Amino acid sequence: DQQTAHYRNCLAGAADLETQLEALKQTRSAEGYMADWQATEDGGFLFVENHCPICTAARHCQGLCALELDVFQTVLGEQADIERVDHILQGARRCAYRVTPRRE
């Protein structure tokens, strides 16, 4: 709950999804995740974390990763659906999330 509140505060004032992703990137990078994002050809986005500073803890408590996905969905959820497509704990070199804008 504290992390969700913190991210909501960091994204406050971000008018569109791209601005929210940039704010989330800056926040996650400050926390050590080496985050980035890019637009995809299908009109969505890919949010990437190139490093996981909690990887050791996450290996012992995979609920941390599920909570991370839930937090992202909660803070971006009004505008997008979030899906993890790469996962360090499953052998990928990064964690990556497909961000699909919700169409009105």
Side-chain angles (χ1 to χ4, degrees):
D1 289 338
Q2 289 177 338
Q3 188 176 39
T4 299
H6 173 66
Y7 290 170
R8 280 191 167 143
N9 185 51
C10 292
L11 275 62
D16 58 28
L17 189 53
E18 289 182 30
T19 307
Q20 287 181 331
L21 288 169
E22 184 62 27
L24 186 59
K25 168 192 151 180
Q26 296 297 327
T27 303
R28 294 294 280 182
S29 289
E31 295 172 346
Y33 287 90
M34 298 174 55
D36 204 357
W37 67 273
Q38 62 189 40
T40 58
E41 291 182 12
D42 64 0
F45 303 93
L46 189 65
F47 186 81
V48 177
E49 295 177 332
N50 291 295
H51 177 71
C52 181
I54 63 163
C55 197
T56 300
R59 287 189 199 288
H60 297 292
C61 180
Q62 292 194 13
L64 292 173
C65 296
L67 289 174
E68 177 181 70
L69 182 58
D70 289 345
V71 168
F72 290 167
Q73 185 64 64
T74 299
V75 298
L76 299 172
E78 292 182 16
Q79 295 192 51
D81 293 311
I82 316 297
E83 173 190 8
R84 183 182 290 119
V85 294
D86 287 327
H87 195 197
I88 291 172
L89 293 184
Q90 294 181 350
R93 70 163 191 81
R94 66 190 186 176
C95 287
Y97 301 85
R98 178 178 297 120
V99 181
T100 305
R102 291 187 178 160
R103 306 292 180 211
E104 293 181 19

